[in-house]
Amino acid sequence: MNGSGRFGARCFGLDWCSDLALDQFDPADVPADGSAIVVRLVTSLPDRRLRMLSPRMELAADGFRFCWNDEAVFDGCAGTGVSVMPASAWTGRLPAAFFSTVTATLLAWRGLVPMHMSSVVHGGRAWLIAGAGGAGKSTL
């Protein structure tokens, strides 16, 4: 999945290169060494041997496929990138499901543990507060 997407970003300690804006990640330059995770906008997906885990998620030996409503199908390849195939309700932007489920699955494929956390420094100590998304960690 090599490529030279127009948008560079950094998130979860990784560099990203994308055909689509990664507006929930920090903007960054794309590294010249090709080490970035590539996000490609495509018109079709390759045939793969997939095993269904749920109505939305399928796994293959080399990645995963995730269908998000009628908006898009995401095809993750061995933790190196994601192809995005728009569906009938495509808005032209990556939906929140990309920045949550798809990204978390890609990170897990790379051996990383994605977690919802917030942090605060108080009295010279750093505290991490873990919990479900929307539980109020940042507000606390």
Side-chain angles (χ1 to χ4, degrees):
M1 290 196 88
N2 292 330
S4 58
R6 297 175 295 151
F7 300 96
R10 182 133 179 99
C11 194
F12 307 109
L14 301 170
D15 293 309
W16 299 73
C17 172
S18 178
D19 291 340
L20 299 156
L22 298 170
D23 52 10
Q24 294 188 27
F25 293 172
D26 292 328
D29 293 330
V30 176
D33 64 4
S35 63
I37 294 174
V38 178
V39 180
R40 282 271 167 248
L41 186 62
V42 299
T43 57
S44 65
L45 296 172
D47 288 332
R48 295 169 76 188
R49 186 176 209 159
L50 296 162
R51 181 175 57 91
M52 183 170 281
L53 290 180
S54 74
R56 293 182 191 248
M57 180 71 76
E58 297 175 288
L59 284 182
D62 61 345
F64 63 92
R65 190 164 286 168
F66 179 73
C67 299
W68 181 246
N69 299 332
D70 291 328
E71 205 165 336
V73 177
F74 301 95
D75 195 58
C77 184
T80 62
V82 178
S83 295
V84 180
M85 185 177 74
S88 61
W90 176 248
T91 65
R93 299 182 62 83
L94 288 167
F98 172 83
F99 297 98
S100 56
T101 304
V102 174
T103 301
T105 304
L106 186 73
L107 293 173
W109 200 273
R110 294 174 68 99
L112 301 171
V113 179
M115 300 179 86
H116 284 277
M117 298 184 114
S118 187
S119 63
V120 64
V121 176
H122 179 70
R125 294 182 135 177
W127 297 83
L128 291 176
I129 303 165
K137 299 174 296 298
S138 297
T139 303
L140 176 67

